[in-house]
């Protein structure tokens, strides 16, 4: 939330784009420009915790490169990249728990 990333940049983030030693995320900005964005130590902690459980909880295929993925659904039970809408819903859900309105419908 505090990184200055656009929602589309978060959606497009891949596992290999995260540098956990430098607190950096490689993103493709508007116009296709590659840039590295720093994130906080708190975000680093959260990302490390997420990565620890990502494989066990979501069971992505070896071909799944998206950083943020949805839980397996459907008959085949495959994971998929989180969508912009699903991320908005997650942010709204947690913002509501803390009394903040993030998006207006």
């Amino acid at each position: 939330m505090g990184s200055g990333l656009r929602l589309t940049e978060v959606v497009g983030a891949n596992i290999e784009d995260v540098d956990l030693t430098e607190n950096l995320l490689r993103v493709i900005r508007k116009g296709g420009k590659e840039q590295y964005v720093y994130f906080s130590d708190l975000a680093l902690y959260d990302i490390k915790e997420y990565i620890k459980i990502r494989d066990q909880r979501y069971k992505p295929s070896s071909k799944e490169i998206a950083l943020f993925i949805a839980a397996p659904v459907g008959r085949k039970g495959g994971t998929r990249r989180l969508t912009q809408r699903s991320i908005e819903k997650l942010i709204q859900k947690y913002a509501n728990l803390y009394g903040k309105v993030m998006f207006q419908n």
Side-chain angles (χ1 to χ4, degrees):
M1 291 291 296
S3 66
L5 292 170
R6 293 179 177 88
L7 184 54
T8 55
E9 295 164 348
V10 174
V11 169
N14 295 323
I15 274 281
E16 68 268 9
D17 296 334
V18 181
D19 182 339
L20 298 174
T21 59
E22 298 292 329
N23 293 32
L24 288 172
L25 178 67
R26 179 186 156 283
V27 296
I28 305 300
R29 294 279 173 150
K30 280 184 165 180
K33 183 179 177 187
E34 180 181 277
Q35 191 171 11
Y36 291 85
V37 177
Y38 286 98
F39 49 85
S40 69
D41 288 336
L42 178 58
L44 174 66
Y45 173 81
D46 290 338
I47 290 171
K48 283 182 176 180
E49 291 300 305
Y50 168 73
I51 289 172
K52 282 182 192 176
I53 64 153
R54 180 181 180 271
D55 289 343
Q56 180 182 2
R57 182 173 293 172
Y58 301 107
K59 298 176 181 32
S61 74
S62 59
K63 295 178 183 178
E64 181 61 74
I65 62 169
L67 176 59
F68 299 110
I69 56 177
V73 294
R75 286 188 303 126
K76 295 183 180 179
T79 57
R80 65 198 180 288
R81 186 180 294 271
L82 282 178
T83 65
Q84 288 185 19
R85 183 67 184 131
S86 60
I87 292 173
E88 286 175 348
K89 285 181 178 183
L90 287 168
I91 292 170
Q92 187 64 56
K93 173 184 170 181
Y94 291 107
N96 287 341
L97 291 173
Y98 296 99
K100 299 185 187 287
V101 176
M102 302 298 291
F103 300 103
Q104 298 289 331
N105 290 334

